[in-house]
Amino acid sequence: MSNYLEKFEKMRIAGKLAAKTLDMLTENIKPGISTNYIDKLGYEFIKDNGGYSAPLYYRGFQKSLCTSLNHVVCHGIPSDRILNEGDAVNVDVTAIVDDHYGDTSRMFCVGETSVKMNNLINATYESMMRAIRILKPGIKLGDIGYEIQSFVEQKGFSVVRDFCGHGIGTSFHEQPNILHYGKKNTGMELMPGMTFTIEPMINAGKWEVKILNDGWTAVTKDKSLSAQFEHTVGITENGYEIFTESVKGYSKPPY
Ligand code: MF3
Ligand code: CO
Ligand code: CO
């Protein structure tokens, strides 16, 4: 019963480092910097704080974090691309500390972004938080998906189907898959000690995605805007704990 407390203590430490990395980036993301610079800052911060960046060399990925801009859904590869006023970028950081993984992402707005983008960002964040707030032993995986899907679809947005949240602990991606769409009271029941991510990818247009020739970058098929947030969470005896909460209150834009 209390067997998982030691694991939670380590998830807290890894999650906090990932969150602090995003907090640090918040203060550095501005027009004129490249996504490679974000990668370099993230790599160094995690290393200097006793961790390792999980994406680096993961299945051949060559960078330390993902930077997904505008119509990029996820797994964008840092490059020489310069951030311009009006861009919105998701930065997804995963830190390993003492063999445990903390995985989290947020949206960052570069200067002023469009009303459409701002609405999408707000809905995506709110959908993730609505799903987190219902977490406790006894609810089912389908309840999580239902919470996200019903909220964003009622606003005219769509849920990406091709990627999902995942169990996480002493490895990056574990069972179960956490779908961001679904039906109430279906699927596996949650139990104390489970640790997983919730990371909805929400599109302003249709949900279909395609993968670019680099083998990683996922973009919306209809070129509509996309947004994502991610937290790593744990199920407790009567609720949940978020391991990747911002230390500085930088949960969502505007920061
Ligand atoms: N951080 C991503 C996730 O949330 C995984 C990125 S894998 C990478 O699961 F190789 F693209 F970095
Ligand atoms: Co993840
Ligand atoms: Co992630």
Side-chain angles (χ1 to χ4, degrees):
M1 196 270 264
S2 60
N3 232 353
Y4 61 82
L5 292 181
E6 227 171 289
K7 171 184 165 192
F8 272 35
E9 188 51 40
K10 292 183 176 181
M11 294 299 285
R12 239 167 246 147
I13 292 167
K16 191 171 189 171
L17 178 53
K20 284 171 77 176
T21 306
L22 292 177
D23 287 351
M24 176 278 296
L25 291 172
T26 308
E27 290 154 11
N28 286 281
I29 291 178
K30 42 176 80 87
I33 70 160
S34 68
T35 52
N36 267 337
Y37 183 61
I38 296 175
D39 181 68
K40 176 182 147 68
L41 289 176
Y43 171 81
E44 285 174 357
F45 187 85
I46 290 174
K47 175 169 62 74
D48 291 347
N49 286 279
Y52 184 80
S53 291
L56 190 56
Y57 308 132
Y58 175 77
R59 300 189 179 194
F61 197 76
Q62 297 291 314
K63 300 285 173 170
S64 293
L65 46 76
C66 298
T67 50
S68 304
L69 276 82
N70 305 326
H71 74 295
V72 178
V73 171
C74 65
H75 300 166
I77 306 171
S79 70
D80 293 336
R81 167 72 150 82
I82 301 292
L83 298 182
N84 298 311
E85 170 97 20
D87 284 332
V89 59
N90 172 280
V91 181
D92 190 340
V93 162
T94 313
I96 311 173
V97 184
D98 197 6
D99 279 335
H100 286 66
Y101 288 68
D103 189 7
T104 183
S105 82
R106 296 177 205 151
M107 297 300 295
F108 298 89
C109 295
V110 184
E112 205 162 313
T113 43
S114 67
V115 171
K116 178 131 206 157
M117 191 72 209
N118 295 343
N119 288 340
L120 181 64
I121 289 172
N122 285 330
T124 304
Y125 179 77
E126 183 58 22
S127 75
M128 174 183 70
M129 291 311 299
R130 279 175 179 248
I132 290 174
R133 286 187 209 110
I134 65 164
L135 297 174
K136 62 177 180 185
I139 75 153
K140 295 187 176 165
L141 288 181
D143 298 330
I144 296 173
Y146 174 82
E147 208 60 40
I148 294 165
Q149 182 178 19
S150 58
F151 182 74
V152 303
E153 286 186 353
Q154 156 246 325
K155 297 194 177 294
F157 301 138
S158 66
V159 178
V160 170
R161 310 289 204 262
D162 306 56
F163 302 97
C164 52
H166 48 91
I168 186 169
T170 52
S171 54
F172 201 165
H173 297 107
E174 301 176 353
Q175 289 303 317
N177 286 334
I178 310 294
L179 304 187
H180 303 115
Y181 58 96
K183 291 190 173 37
K184 270 189 183 170
N185 204 29
T186 62
M188 182 198 283
E189 195 172 295
L190 300 192
M191 293 188 336
M194 287 178 70
T195 51
F196 55 87
T197 72
I198 298 182
E199 49 179 303
M201 284 141 276
I202 307 300
N203 296 346
K206 298 203 176 83
W207 61 262
E208 282 87 353
V209 310
K210 64 175 187 185
I211 310 289
L212 299 187
N213 287 334
D214 60 27
W216 283 102
T217 311
V219 301
T220 53
K221 228 177 195 169
D222 63 7
K223 298 196 165 65
S224 66
L225 295 172
S226 188
Q228 181 180 25
F229 286 85
E230 176 175 23
H231 270 316
T232 299
V233 300
I235 303 302
T236 62
E237 294 309 310
N238 42 31
Y240 64 87
E241 177 171 342
I242 300 176
F243 298 124
T244 47
E245 197 61 85
S246 169
V247 174
K248 295 199 170 176
Y250 298 153
S251 295
K252 74 170 193 72
Y255 297 117

